[in-house]
Amino acid sequence: MLTIILLSFLGAVLAIIIGTVWYMPFTPMGRVHMQYLGFDKLSKEEQDKKIEEAKPHMRKSYLGQTLLSFLTSFFVVLMMTKSLENGESFKMVTMYLVMTWACFMVPVIGSNLIWGNCDRAIVWKKFFYDIMSNLVTILVIVGVTSLFL
């Protein structure tokens, strides 16, 4: 169980790194995310002000995101470890995790965008960028975990 927990922490760190790079302002995904947040409509001064206002809460935000990333990573690592221990092939375990993404994460992200306050001009881009971020994260965790099992 210690291995599962340690790999889950590693997966959480990887998830945060992937998310940080994925949504950087100079990437296509980051630009759409900035539009989603309304940053594209703000002046440079207003953007700087918003960033300064967010800084005191950043530690809590990252702590919350770390916990959420840990939960995702824990599920992936636990599912992989226990399935492989019970004789499932690596290919089949990976398919289980991809289907979990498709059947659970994709609908939740879609519902959030449908019922949220997302600009209809960017909703499809935001949807595909967000679901692909999750898929890439899961596959990276699968790949790294496979190195230790």
Side-chain angles (χ1 to χ4, degrees), residues 104-137:
F104 294 97
M105 292 179 132
V106 170
V108 169
I109 291 168
S111 293
N112 185 37
L113 291 173
I114 288 170
W115 298 106
N117 193 21
C118 187
D119 180 359
R120 296 296 170 220
I122 63 166
V123 71
W124 283 108
K125 284 182 184 179
K126 178 78 173 136
F127 173 71
F128 285 110
Y129 290 159
D130 286 357
I131 66 171
M132 292 312 295
S133 170
N134 281 289
L135 181 60
V136 167
T137 300

Side-chain angles (χ1 to χ4, degrees), residues 21-84:
V21 172
W22 192 271
Y23 290 108
M24 284 185 165
F26 57 81
T27 66
M29 296 77 67
R31 285 192 294 274
V32 168
H33 190 66
M34 290 297 123
Q35 286 178 302
Y36 175 72
L37 296 174
F39 257 58
D40 61 319
K41 294 176 177 69
L42 301 176
S43 69
K44 178 70 174 144
E45 294 79 26
E46 291 172 316
Q47 289 177 3
D48 292 341
K49 183 180 175 197
K50 288 268 190 199
I51 291 169
E52 287 303 315
E53 289 172 359
K55 280 184 181 179
H57 310 288
M58 199 59 68
R59 185 177 180 159
K60 288 181 184 176
S61 296
Y62 268 96
L63 185 61
Q65 187 59 54
T66 301
L67 176 62
L68 295 172
S69 296
F70 176 81
L71 292 173
T72 300
S73 182
F74 181 75
F75 175 77
V76 171
V77 173
L78 182 68
M79 178 81 171
M80 277 188 71
T81 303
K82 295 304 174 186
S83 296
L84 291 171

